[in-house]
Amino acid sequence: MRALTPREITLGALVLFGIGITAAVALLTNFSGTTPAERLDAIRTSATLVVGTGGAAALWLAARRQRSAELTLAHQQKVAADDLLDAKERRLTELYVKAVEQLGSDKAAVRCGGLYALERVAQMNPDQRQTVVDVICAYLRGPYALPPDKPGTRRLGVPRPLVNSPTRIIAPEAARRSANTSPAQRDQERRQEREVRLTAQRILACHLRPGTDPKHPVGTFWNDIDIDLTEATLINADFTNCHIRTATFTRADFAGEASFRQATFTGKSWFDEASLAANGNFEKATFTENVSFAGTSFFGTASFRGASFAQDALFYETSFTGLVAFDGASFTRVTSFADARFGGPTTFLGATWTASSEEMNYGAIVTFQGASFAGIAVFHATRFGDFTSFQSVSFAREALFERAHFAGEAIFDESSFGATPRLADTHFTRDVPPELRLAHADQNEAKPGSPELGQ
């Protein structure tokens, strides 16, 4: 409140004095012809009015002082709160800066301490969790070459030249000292760095699980987190049951097992050109938005059993070396396996599809037994291996097999077609399946050089 000036105080006093004098004069004038007792009452009443007016002024000044005191107290409390917030921010900044500095240490134990310090910062400050995750992901994106598991054995990791290239050194601190260390010392440093990276991965996975890890109490879950692990080297990555918003694993190297079983991706996900050295487990994973595995290499088993693809699922130019399983998977929208390569047995048992893809190259065995195609099933120019099964498959609409090539036995027993399958220029190395003979003969009858029925 604005302070009263001496002039305002003097003016207020004169006003009150004038009110009192005016009231007294008015009363005495009106009772001038009355008895002495009545004039005395008039004087007393005038004095009472003057005193009452002064009391009202005193009450107003007291209320003003009280209000001023309350405003002063509120201001002091705000200043104290601001000071506390500033102290908290300074402490947070100091902890954050110190933790980041620890990540640059040449000692593995100090780097682990930096990771745990960052975890503590995120736990105490929910608004800083995404920032902390970004820092941990940035650390994992740093170049790293895996050490041999045992002396004389092949180095564990993705079988690509890039992983073991001399240009990919472990952590930045190793690069500063690599010229002055022996191969044995560098391997030891890499082993220590591997433990640091495993710690970083465990911190991420722990806080991306919504209270499902018995080793950690409920309430450690960090919701709505984006992770960017582009070109990161991940060792036995375990993101089982994790809930991730946007996930970027473009050109990531997965050394050892990689598990995303029952993981939920609420945003877009990219695994383009990633390399999985061992088994990749995506069983019962849920992809709410688009997901891309374009150019990804699976060198072990790739399991997508029970996975749910709510939006576009892109597997074009994907390479599968081992067993591939999409049993019970659900493909809701556009699904592309264009130019994908399947080196081992491939199964889509009971899968639900809206469409297939063009120019696929399956391995020796592929089965779609019990699958359901709600939309147009497209197998243009697809090459099938020694055994292909479409047994009990439901084709709700057209099934397009133009220019497809069946190198071995093809089974279509108990399959149902919503429309006549398209078999123009389709080649069957063995007998044409009985369920397709009529359509195959009609569409290839007038074409010179077409394979005869049953050939």
Side-chain angles (χ1 to χ4, degrees), residues 326 328-329 348-353 367-374 389-395 415-416:
F326 283 91
F348 293 94
L349 301 175
T352 302
W353 293 51
T367 175
F368 291 86
Q369 183 174 350
S372 175
F373 293 87
S389 174
F390 283 92
Q391 183 177 0
S392 301
V393 173
S394 174
F395 296 92
S415 294
S416 61

Side-chain angles (χ1 to χ4, degrees), residues 139-304:
Y139 184 84
L140 290 173
R141 289 197 304 268
Y144 175 64
L146 288 159
D149 287 341
K150 294 180 180 180
T153 62
R154 182 183 64 84
R155 185 162 304 191
L156 175 65
V158 182
R160 297 194 305 188
L162 181 60
V163 172
N164 296 324
S165 171
T167 61
R168 299 198 70 178
I169 313 300
I170 53 170
E173 71 280 354
R176 297 193 298 265
R177 302 184 302 158
S178 59
N180 299 322
T181 57
S182 65
Q185 289 175 317
R186 287 196 293 270
D187 282 344
Q188 181 63 24
E189 290 175 348
R190 291 171 180 175
R191 294 179 191 278
Q192 294 175 352
E193 174 62 13
R194 177 172 58 185
E195 296 305 315
V196 177
R197 288 174 170 265
L198 288 173
T199 299
Q201 292 178 196
R202 283 193 293 267
I203 290 175
L204 285 179
C206 165
H207 295 290
L208 294 176
R209 294 191 182 103
T212 58
D213 192 344
K215 297 180 180 179
H216 299 86
V218 178
T220 60
F221 175 54
W222 299 348
N223 194 23
D224 292 334
I225 294 297
D226 302 325
I227 60 175
D228 183 2
L229 292 170
T230 302
E231 296 186 352
T233 299
L234 304 174
I235 308 164
N236 293 326
D238 184 5
F239 290 94
T240 301
N241 294 318
C242 288
H243 284 222
I244 307 170
R245 189 167 56 187
T246 301
T248 306
F249 291 93
T250 303
R251 294 185 298 279
D253 294 332
F254 291 89
E257 306 287 333
S259 176
F260 290 88
R261 184 171 57 87
Q262 296 183 337
T264 299
F265 299 86
T266 58
K268 295 183 179 181
S269 307
W270 292 272
F271 291 83
D272 300 341
E273 299 182 28
S275 183
L276 289 83
N279 299 332
N281 189 343
F282 290 84
E283 294 180 0
K284 297 183 179 180
T286 300
F287 298 91
T288 305
E289 296 292 337
N290 297 345
V291 57
S292 176
F293 287 87
T296 303
S297 298
F298 291 86
F299 292 96
T301 298
S303 178
F304 290 85

Side-chain angles (χ1 to χ4, degrees), residues 118-139:
L118 284 174
E119 180 186 24
R120 182 185 177 191
V121 169
Q123 281 292 86
M124 296 188 302
N125 303 273
D127 58 329
Q128 298 295 321
R129 289 175 179 174
Q130 183 61 63
T131 302
V132 169
V133 169
D134 292 342
V135 173
I136 296 177
C137 289
Y139 184 84

Side-chain angles (χ1 to χ4, degrees), residues 393-437:
V393 173
S394 174
F395 296 92
R397 299 176 63 184
E398 291 182 309
L400 311 182
F401 288 93
E402 290 97 337
R403 294 182 288 109
H405 181 89
F406 292 84
E409 182 179 2
I411 298 177
F412 284 80
D413 297 350
E414 302 178 5
S415 294
S416 61
F417 297 89
T420 302
R422 304 276 292 276
L423 300 171
D425 296 327
T426 303
H427 178 71
F428 291 91
T429 303
R430 298 188 182 181
D431 293 343
V432 178
E435 296 79 9
L436 304 180
R437 285 179 181 175

